Amino acid sequence: GLILNAPQAPSKGIPGNVIAINVGSMENTGHEFGLSATILRRGKFSWTSGVNLTLMKNEVTALADGNSDILATTAGLETTNIIRINESVGSIYAVETQGVNATNGQRQFVRADGTVVLYDHSAPAGQRWKTLDGTSVSPITLIADGKVYGPTLPKWFGGLDNTFKYGPFDLNVQMNYAGGNYIYNGSKAGLRDQRNWNNHTDVLDRWTESNTGGSIPRVVFGDNISNGSAIPISENVEKGDFLRIRNITLGYRLPTEVLSRANIASLRIFATANNAFLFTNYSGTDPEVSTNGNVNLAPGVDRNTVPMARTFSFGLNLGF
């Protein structure tokens, strides 16, 4: 069962006009695999390894109010996620775009029926949305023209642990990976917003008469539509696949014959690097972060989120 805040009529007198009810059902299915082994043992050297893999499919199977969609926002800003029957919970929801029109530098939006519409923030209100032939049309909206781009929950994830030993030295390398999910890069939308914000350097590749192949629409002050700040767009939807070297630890055990003179049973000195390396095609700071924390409604959104820190530590293990 899914327990969520369902909207209620103001006449009921319920604080906030919502009440937590069981609104539907959801199903998780998948498979888990694990394997561990001593790969090599020769003389003073040994190599042991363990690997695990989880394949998962999440699906909403029923919702309240005739299976009506539930939309979720990020920090009161974009509506970036949707809960829809037969889709994964909190899937990314955005309007399709097709780059920048080389003729006039305007962002090309795609309606639900496939019609390409241009947005011109410099035009008078009511005349900003036009078809390719210049005909004024009603504005693009997320409700009418949005589409599901994919799950925010990984379809596959797992880890790999390797331990190497040679005499008194030991090295442990832990890795984890995940993929098959999508992230809405709201940070990218904000850094391209043409209101009173700082911009990313990629705005230097904006459309101009001398750069008609620019990847960023023509800059117009106040434009928060073209780059996805007001309406989530597919331009900012990215794959969240990654491989992270989570932990590297190198240790050294002092010889017992040296320690016995001081009545010490064991002494191991070690150095550890946490979050050592990250390999991903995601253009944001970290594919594992979530502006909305562990909220089920709107996971997988990066809106100016601080990435996980890389830390280094040193220590010793002493036994008597």
Side-chain angles (χ1 to χ4, degrees):
L2 299 178
I3 299 177
L4 296 171
N5 287 328
Q8 303 293 310
S11 59
K12 292 183 178 180
I14 298 174
N17 298 323
V18 296
I19 189 171
I21 61 174
N22 191 321
V23 299
S25 60
M26 180 176 67
E27 184 178 56
N28 288 302
T29 58
H31 303 277
E32 295 182 354
F33 305 92
L35 179 65
S36 60
T38 298
I39 298 177
L40 181 62
R41 189 186 301 275
R42 182 175 298 172
K44 295 182 179 181
F45 179 79
S46 67
W47 173 18
T48 59
S49 182
V51 61
N52 62 79
L53 168 65
T54 298
L55 306 175
M56 186 185 74
K57 178 183 179 182
N58 172 272
E59 183 179 1
V60 176
T61 57
L63 290 173
D65 301 326
N67 290 324
S68 58
D69 295 339
I70 299 175
L71 299 176
T73 61
T74 294
L77 299 171
E78 310 102 324
T79 299
T80 50
N81 302 74
I82 189 170
I83 299 178
R84 173 177 286 178
I85 190 171
N86 297 328
E87 299 286 354
S88 177
V89 64
S91 293
I92 296 297
Y93 194 56
V95 173
E96 181 184 355
T97 56
Q98 293 183 350
V100 179
N101 187 286
T103 303
N104 52 32
Q106 297 167 11
R107 174 74 70 188
Q108 299 186 141
F109 293 77
V110 182
R111 287 197 182 280
D113 63 3
T115 303
V116 177
V117 179
L118 303 178
Y119 179 76
D120 181 8
H121 194 76
S122 63
Q127 302 178 31
R128 293 179 175 177
W129 296 93
K130 296 181 180 179
T131 58
L132 294 176
D133 62 7
T135 304
S136 294
V137 293
S138 59
I140 287 279
T141 67
L142 183 64
I143 298 297
D145 303 300
K147 59 185 293 187
V148 177
Y149 273 85
T152 52
L153 302 179
K155 292 183 178 180
W156 45 267
F157 55 90
L160 177 63
D161 183 276
N162 288 286
T163 299
F164 306 90
K165 292 183 179 181
Y166 183 78
F169 293 94
D170 60 87
L171 174 66
N172 179 259
V173 181
Q174 297 177 352
M175 294 177 278
N176 72 300
Y177 56 88
N181 60 303
Y182 290 82
I183 300 171
Y184 188 76
N185 192 342
S187 300
K188 184 164 66 175
L191 289 170
R192 295 176 176 180
D193 194 318
Q194 294 307 309
R195 292 176 292 178
N196 295 311
W197 316 120
N198 290 323
N199 279 169
H200 191 279
T201 54
D202 58 11
V203 176
L204 295 173
D205 189 34
R206 65 193 181 277
W207 184 96
T208 63
E209 292 182 352
S210 60
N211 184 35
T212 57
S215 60
I216 304 296
R218 179 170 62 94
V219 169
V220 180
F221 179 72
D223 184 359
N224 68 330
I225 301 291
S226 296
N227 293 310
S229 276
I231 304 174
I233 59 176
S234 60
E235 169 73 16
N236 302 327
V237 178
E238 301 186 36
K239 292 294 295 293
D241 302 2
F242 73 90
L243 169 66
R244 188 188 300 273
I245 300 181
R246 179 73 65 182
N247 179 284
I248 301 175
T249 299
L250 176 64
Y252 174 74
R253 295 181 181 276
L254 271 70
T256 55
E257 56 269 21
V258 175
L259 300 175
S260 60
R261 302 171 186 174
N263 294 322
I264 298 175
S266 63
L267 177 61
R268 176 177 175 267
I269 303 170
F270 67 89
T272 298
N274 286 303
N275 191 25
F277 300 101
L278 173 65
F279 304 94
T280 181
N281 288 326
Y282 176 60
S283 66
T285 57
D286 193 326
E288 283 194 283
V289 300
S290 175
T291 297
N292 301 313
N294 293 323
V295 173
N296 293 322
L297 289 175
V301 179
D302 181 3
R303 186 63 153 156
N304 306 325
T305 314
V306 178
M308 288 189 287
R310 178 180 295 118
T311 60
F312 302 92
S313 58
F314 305 88
L316 55 86
N317 302 118
L318 183 63
F320 293 96

